[in-house]
Amino acid sequence: MTTQLTRHRPPGLRDFYENPAVPVASGDARTLRQARILATALGPATARTTPATILDIGCGDGTAAATAAPLLAGHRLIGVDWSQDALKRAHALLPHVVRGELTDGGLPFADGAADAVLFSEVIEHLVDPDSALDELRRVLRPGGHLMLSTPNLAAWYNRGLLLAGVQPVFSEVSLRGIHGRPGKEVVGHLRLYTARALRAFVAASGFEVVSLAGAPFHGVPRPLRALDRLACAVPSAASILLLHARRT
């Protein structure tokens, strides 16, 4: 989910992501919606000759993978992260955890070893998302599934905030504090995508986009949560983008 996995980082960014105080969870609503899409794509483990191998790349503390696991029962779910601290916490929730990076063949898996990759709230933290998608494509088998989620720069409330001259939610101008936008937590977002940009980027990286859905954001103030759930019906305006693609 929210862990930096690239090898080349600006000074201080590695230490930032090793800090246990940095939030690594992004809400059960996104996790469950994403897991349901993947479970439908893979089918039940009992209907397959061998269970699917699913890599949760950027698993953080393992909370999201543990939440998704019941919907993916019977399949082999492996948590992968760069942060040693995150992996220590994830090991308490997941039977299989592995350290890996997203550049220069840094994932410790053979070409085409995975049937599916969960890539949840990671891409917005990356210095080099192009190399990351190349590495995900390498470890996926032909036709393998990519389930990617990321905050939406064009979320319904961000459109209003920009019109008012306010920094959009999810965007950050510093690792030391929040400046010019709502919210209190610094989580290290380096890149943000609209639905159109995400589709185009993933397709250009050698994937066929199957679907794009929306999910709510747990940080939306309570009085606005019903509206945030309604916005999911229009993914381009939803808080979180859930993209399902297959390796070509």
Side-chain angles (χ1 to χ4, degrees), residues 54 166 184 247:
I54 305 168
V166 178
K184 298 179 181 179
R247 183 197 157 179

Side-chain angles (χ1 to χ4, degrees), residues 1-216:
M1 285 162 301
T2 59
T3 302
Q4 172 63 286
L5 293 173
T6 54
R7 186 167 294 160
H8 304 292
R9 303 171 178 81
L13 200 53
R14 179 181 290 268
D15 292 335
F16 175 81
Y17 285 106
E18 282 284 15
N19 182 357
V22 173
V24 293
S26 56
D28 288 351
R30 186 273 304 157
T31 299
L32 292 171
R33 288 183 184 218
Q34 193 172 33
R36 290 188 189 103
I37 295 170
L38 182 57
T40 299
L42 291 173
T46 54
R48 301 172 62 98
T49 304
T50 58
T53 296
I54 305 168
L55 307 181
D56 184 3
I57 307 292
C59 66
D61 63 3
T63 302
T67 300
L71 295 174
L72 300 168
H75 297 300
R76 187 178 183 222
L77 184 58
I78 303 172
V80 185
D81 208 289
W82 165 81
S83 168
Q84 294 283 18
D85 176 77
L87 287 175
K88 288 177 183 177
R89 289 181 281 165
H91 190 62
L93 299 173
L94 303 174
H96 308 289
V97 295
V98 177
R99 187 179 187 277
E101 302 201 22
L102 277 172
T103 55
D104 303 325
L107 293 178
F109 303 98
D111 295 0
D115 297 287
V117 164
L118 285 168
F119 202 47
S120 306
E121 266 82 320
V122 176
I123 199 168
E124 65 270 18
H125 299 266
L126 299 177
V127 174
D128 186 0
D130 300 277
S131 294
L133 266 288
D134 288 344
E135 182 65 355
L136 296 185
R137 190 174 185 277
R138 180 187 70 80
V139 300
L140 275 170
R141 65 168 175 79
H145 301 274
L146 172 66
M147 287 301 312
L148 185 157
S149 66
T150 191
N152 183 9
L153 175 61
W156 60 276
Y157 39 80
N158 279 346
R159 301 181 188 206
L161 290 173
L162 276 171
L163 285 174
V166 178
Q167 187 80 10
V169 175
F170 307 126
S171 66
E172 295 179 339
V173 299
S174 170
L175 293 178
R176 299 177 181 177
I178 297 298
H179 303 289
R181 73 155 172 84
K184 298 179 181 179
E185 294 181 332
V186 179
V187 293
H189 288 175
L190 304 180
R191 300 180 182 274
L192 290 176
Y193 299 79
T194 64
R196 181 179 296 183
L198 187 64
R199 277 181 174 273
F201 172 61
V202 172
S205 299
F207 293 87
E208 177 189 359
V209 176
V210 177
S211 65
L212 184 71

Side-chain angles (χ1 to χ4, degrees), residues 222-234:
R222 188 173 298 277
L224 297 176
R225 289 181 183 175
L227 182 57
D228 193 43
R229 289 192 295 271
L230 287 173
C232 294
V234 183

